[in-house]
Amino acid sequence: MQGAAPTRELRAGRRALEGIEGVELAEDWRWDEDHERWVLHLRLRPGIEGSERVPACTDWYVLADPSYPWGSVKFYPARDGGIERTFWHQSYNGPGPTGRAWRDGAPCLDTSVRVLGRHGFDDEPREAHARLRWHTLRALDWLRAADEERLVLPGDPYELPEFPRYEELDVLVAFSEGATSFDWWRECTGRSGTVSFYSLRESPELLVVKEFRSLAGRPILASDWGRCVRGASEVEFRGIWLRLDGPPVLLPWQAAATWGELRHACRSQGLELDNLMRPLLPGMRDGERHAALVGFPIPERFGDGPGRIHWQAMRLPALQGGRQVPDGFRPNEMGYRERDRRTVFAGTEPLRWLRSENWSEDQLATRGRLPEEVRGKSVLLVGAGALGSPLGEMLVRGGVHRLTVVDGQTLQAGNLVRHTLGLDRVGKLKADSTSQRLNLASPHASVVAINTRFPPDGEVDGAQARGCDVVLDCTAEDELLHELEVFEWGEPKHFVSLSLGMGARRLYCFSAEGLGFPYAAFRALIDPWLRQEAEEYEGSELPREGVGCWHPVFPARVDDVWLMAGVAVKYLEGALTSPSVEPRLAVYERHDDEEGNFAGVRRVDPGGWPGVEVGRPQVRAPHARRDHCRGTAPLPGCRRARDGRGTGGQVHRRARLRGGHAR
């Protein structure tokens, strides 16, 4: 676009700035070929007295996408005549590459910054004449707030300073810190020590904090990770940790970018960086590149007391021994330290900050998680089929991290249409493969596989099953329910049995508490529904997999099965948060409108309590009989269909129509 004129929309945006008090056009729109953006040079006078921190008049460069008024609109301080410090709600304000007219520190002008809402702009406009004006007015407000030191107010969410990173160091360091570990750190008197990391084979660019040690090498705090992190480590990576009283910043909110600035930030807290590092460096003097964690307490909100430790990682320079030391020093540790201080730790040497993230359970679950009454349970998932596999996935991703999967079958190619596993697991055990997948869903998950049909063989597997709080059956097999009834659990459990009706049009959810599964109560509640399904699908024929009458399969599309799996999670949440003394059954039905279009899922049972007659739902599924693929009773004379095994447990042995495992 070199030589092109600004678009009509860009010109409209610039004209809308005319007449705004404190805004002067220093240079009209020009195309910047290097950044592929349109650039506008403005001079802003926000009506303040001015100081060294925020001058009364500052120059800014506005960068806009060619698609303006769409795309990004960013303000950057000018290299000459712009603000030089870094404030809250601003990117690290470094000088940027030589020859560029603006610095790096773009202020945050988004609507989430409530201190900039003075003009009543709740939503960013998208009209060409309004959007640039909106950003400019907020830039003036931002300057006023920076001058008056009110960019952050008590109660605002806490934000870390932006630590400048070097793009060639694309390494992520993950740690786990919360309220419990913060209590421990508050009692800890040590300021420095060594730290070890897991280095994962699958993700060599990821380092996960394993254990903190004291200066004397004594273990002081180990991170509690799941099986994926603990079991997939290739090598143990070593480093050091330093603990400060606050973030390493230069006022007002600029992260230290050089070793000299880090020393200055430490001194402002009464600490000497070199003294903290001195006893640790001999152990790092092997020519390798180690990591360092700089930790400091942070609050949840500005104005609150600290509630957790944040660790900001950096890459240490490679340290060596050898004979080369400064004049007047011997080739010993003192000589090496002096050499390092003049070279790799010199004041002007940049810090190699790395990406750092807190992977504590509460931090990772901010997008949404199940309540503690569910997350805190250990769950025995019996059946890892089409219903059990997505159900297990939803539970683990919702925060249930102690899960045991019981299933003795292998994955078949026909299972792929409804299972969460893929082609690479065909022929492999479902329980083992599903547990491996679920352990990858969370760094805190500890999912165990029992590769056999319930009940498990051996003392170890039996103890694993007995140790679970919730028994979740997804097999829809009477024989399995009998085993759940007679198995010696040792203590009361919360039993939940989930099964699908034909075509996954209905979901049957049964729950009870006790020393064993109450099979008689279960049959009394579910039999009327199974008789109704038998009437609805009488005369239909099951679809087949392969050749021969002995290969009928349970018909249900993956979207219907997984839809009901989501409903099952909702039911389980209610059953565990509001447990019932008596066994109960809930029936959910997929509902279509009069035109046959999907209209949602609704509960259709009248309560399902013992002694209460279970009535039929008021609305029958439209077109149920003529939808041939939605299943049927097994064919007369088909031995494998009669005993329920030819369909992978989906057809119930008593009524031939109760689904669930949908393998």
Side-chain angles (χ1 to χ4, degrees), residues 510-528:
F510 175 84
S511 63
E513 292 188 22
L515 289 171
F517 184 84
Y519 183 71
F522 167 77
R523 293 246 44 116
L525 291 171
I526 202 169
D527 276 353

Side-chain angles (χ1 to χ4, degrees), residues 284-336:
M284 304 292 112
R285 203 173 295 285
D286 55 9
E288 300 293 331
R289 299 291 297 273
H290 296 281
L293 298 181
V294 180
F296 45 91
I298 61 173
E300 290 294 327
R301 294 182 177 275
F302 284 105
D304 295 345
R308 68 177 71 233
I309 290 286
H310 176 81
W311 294 102
Q312 187 62 42
M314 73 166 74
R315 178 80 80 176
L316 287 174
L319 304 179
Q320 298 178 342
R323 305 291 301 176
Q324 294 183 354
V325 293
D327 292 340
F329 288 87
R330 295 179 180 180
N332 54 22
E333 186 58 33
M334 181 180 294
Y336 301 150

Side-chain angles (χ1 to χ4, degrees), residues 195-199 210-211 213 233-238:
V195 60
S196 58
F197 303 87
Y198 291 110
S199 178
K210 177 182 180 181
E211 184 181 58
R213 291 178 175 263
S233 177
E234 182 176 14
V235 295
E236 186 177 287
F237 195 80
R238 296 186 303 121

Side-chain angles (χ1 to χ4, degrees), residues 535-556:
E535 295 175 9
E536 291 174 347
Y537 294 100
E538 183 180 1
S540 300
E541 182 178 342
L542 284 172
R544 277 158 174 67
E545 182 177 78
V547 179
C549 68
W550 52 86
H551 288 292
V553 293
F554 179 81

Side-chain angles (χ1 to χ4, degrees), residues 382-390 407 409 414-415 417-419 430 453 473-481 497-508 522-523 526 530 533 537 542-543 551-558 560-562 564-565 629-634 640-663:
V382 184
L387 180 60
S389 61
D407 198 308
Q409 293 192 349
N415 300 141
V417 296
R418 294 185 301 217
H419 210 282
K430 286 183 179 179
R453 177 183 172 84
D473 161 53
C474 295
T475 64
E477 298 179 13
D478 277 353
E479 185 175 341
L480 187 282
L481 296 181
S497 180
L498 304 169
S499 54
L500 297 170
M502 296 304 288
R505 186 167 65 90
R506 293 194 186 102
L507 171 69
Y508 301 101
F522 167 77
R523 293 246 44 116
I526 202 169
L530 299 184
E533 289 222 2
Y537 294 100
L542 284 172
H551 288 292
V553 293
F554 179 81
R557 283 184 358 198
V558 60
D560 292 324
V561 175
W562 288 9
M564 289 305 187
C629 72
R630 292 205 175 179
T632 100
R640 297 193 67 181
R642 279 201 305 271
D643 67 15
R645 296 168 198 231
T647 57
Q650 196 54 260
V651 175
H652 193 268
R653 293 206 308 169
R654 289 282 297 273
R656 307 289 203 274
L657 287 170
R658 178 173 173 255
H661 214 168
R663 295 178 185 270

